[in-house]
Amino acid sequence: AAAAAATARALSVAGCRIYRRDEKNTYMIAAEHGNTERLDNLDARFAPLESGDQIAEITLGNWHVMATATNYRQRVNGALSIWKAAGNDWEDDHRLLITDIAKQLGIANEQISNHERIVTLSRTDGMTGLLNRRAFYEEDLPRRVARLERNGNTAALFFVDMDNFKRVNDVHGHQAGDDALLYLRDLLMEMSRPGDVIARLGGDEFGLLLRHCPAQRAIQIAERLIGALGDIRFAWKESLYDIGASAGLVQLDANVITVEEAMSRADV
């Protein structure tokens, strides 16, 4: 945001926008400054930008836009755009300065991406891709419990574990155990909605927090989950296992108990 504001002021333009590019090659607005009216589809015009040395001049409505890519080690990771009223030509100084600024922003974009990857890794269980125990206990669950106290909604906290996981793991090794865990993960994901939270707490234990979930619906979900795992036979190298599951359920509402007590009750 500081870079966008400083760039707009230094170049005496109507506005400046900085983009970051995600893994799907989609440009996301990272910061902007100035008059941004009628510039909503600007990123759709960035296809020709392949490196920070290439500059595109675009007329978009009443704006004359100059844009260039930001990159790190020859990989495009975003874009920088500035604009002024249509009919005003760009000067060579603008082209030189926008290129120099884009080089610095390419480094900044890479640093931000690296930081986000580190944060994600610190919160994620490497095998399942779910939240890990620390993130669930120390960050997500306390924050959501506090929100229940404020808004008066209900939620359901589940602790789930497999009944025969150790037998699968001991007989056929970690690969078979991992496949069984992934099966349970997929089942939990099917039973949750966007905004719910699933975490692997360790071993064959999972946590599930369902928002806006009254008691009767929570019981139905628990019964469905236990029934689904009880009905399947987990197959591994011509062996079949009844894996089953146990679930502990605690209802949370505006009269919320402490996080520690909620976890303890669900565990029991």
Side-chain angles (χ1 to χ4, degrees):
T7 298
R9 290 194 295 266
L11 299 182
S12 299
V13 293
C16 173
R17 181 179 286 170
I18 299 168
Y19 291 86
R20 292 178 57 207
R21 195 179 188 188
D22 63 18
E23 295 178 354
K24 298 179 180 179
N25 294 329
T26 300
Y27 286 95
M28 306 174 295
I29 298 175
E32 58 187 10
H33 179 82
N35 188 345
T36 61
E37 186 178 358
R38 297 182 181 179
L39 285 167
D40 293 340
N41 297 318
L42 178 58
D43 59 296
R45 310 286 292 275
F46 288 166
L49 301 179
E50 296 178 356
S51 72
D53 297 328
Q54 186 170 349
I55 296 174
E57 296 187 22
I58 304 162
T59 299
L60 195 61
N62 295 324
W63 298 118
H64 192 189
V65 181
M66 178 183 289
T68 189
T70 66
N71 66 89
Y72 183 78
R73 295 182 178 176
Q74 308 305 314
R75 182 182 63 83
V76 173
N77 62 11
L80 168 65
S81 59
I82 56 175
W83 55 88
K84 56 185 178 179
N88 296 313
D89 293 333
W90 294 109
E91 300 175 2
D92 289 341
D93 284 349
H94 287 107
R95 296 182 180 88
L96 290 172
L97 287 170
I98 194 174
T99 299
D100 289 342
I101 295 169
K103 290 178 180 177
Q104 300 303 315
L105 287 173
I107 297 172
N109 276 343
E110 183 67 16
Q111 290 174 333
I112 293 169
S113 295
N114 287 336
H115 174 72
E116 289 176 344
R117 281 192 287 269
I118 291 170
V119 170
T120 298
L121 288 172
S122 73
R123 289 171 46 83
T124 304
D125 173 61
M127 200 272 287
T128 62
L130 302 175
L131 282 184
N132 60 26
R133 184 185 187 91
R134 184 198 63 79
F136 185 67
Y137 280 171
E138 299 179 11
E139 299 174 15
D140 269 65
L141 191 55
R143 182 172 68 248
R144 289 169 184 268
V145 166
R147 191 179 301 163
L148 291 176
E149 293 179 298
R150 294 194 303 270
N151 60 29
N153 289 328
T154 61
L157 174 64
F158 294 77
F159 275 15
V160 181
D161 64 59
M162 285 187 180
D163 291 340
N164 294 314
F165 174 73
K166 187 176 186 302
R167 188 158 65 92
V168 175
N169 223 29
D170 289 348
V171 173
H172 286 297
H174 292 295
Q175 183 60 56
D178 288 352
D179 283 357
L181 291 173
L182 292 174
Y183 180 86
L184 176 54
R185 176 205 63 183
D186 293 344
L187 193 59
L188 292 172
M189 292 179 70
E190 289 176 12
M191 295 185 177
S192 62
R193 303 159 300 177
D196 295 335
V197 181
I198 312 173
R200 184 187 178 200
L201 307 179
D204 64 340
E205 296 180 342
F206 291 78
L208 178 64
L209 186 68
L210 302 182
R211 62 191 183 91
H212 307 312
C213 187
Q216 190 56 43
R217 179 172 177 271
I219 292 170
Q220 292 171 351
I221 291 173
E223 291 174 343
R224 179 183 161 205
L225 173 65
I226 292 171
L229 277 171
D231 289 341
I232 71 107
R233 301 293 179 268
F234 178 71
W236 182 263
K237 294 184 178 179
E238 301 180 355
S239 297
L240 292 175
Y241 294 93
D242 299 320
I243 54 176
S246 299
L249 168 61
V250 171
Q251 187 69 23
L252 304 176
D253 55 29
N255 300 315
V256 69
I257 53 182
T258 66
V259 171
E260 293 75 13
E261 188 176 356
M263 293 188 299
S264 177
R265 287 187 185 181
D267 195 16
V268 171

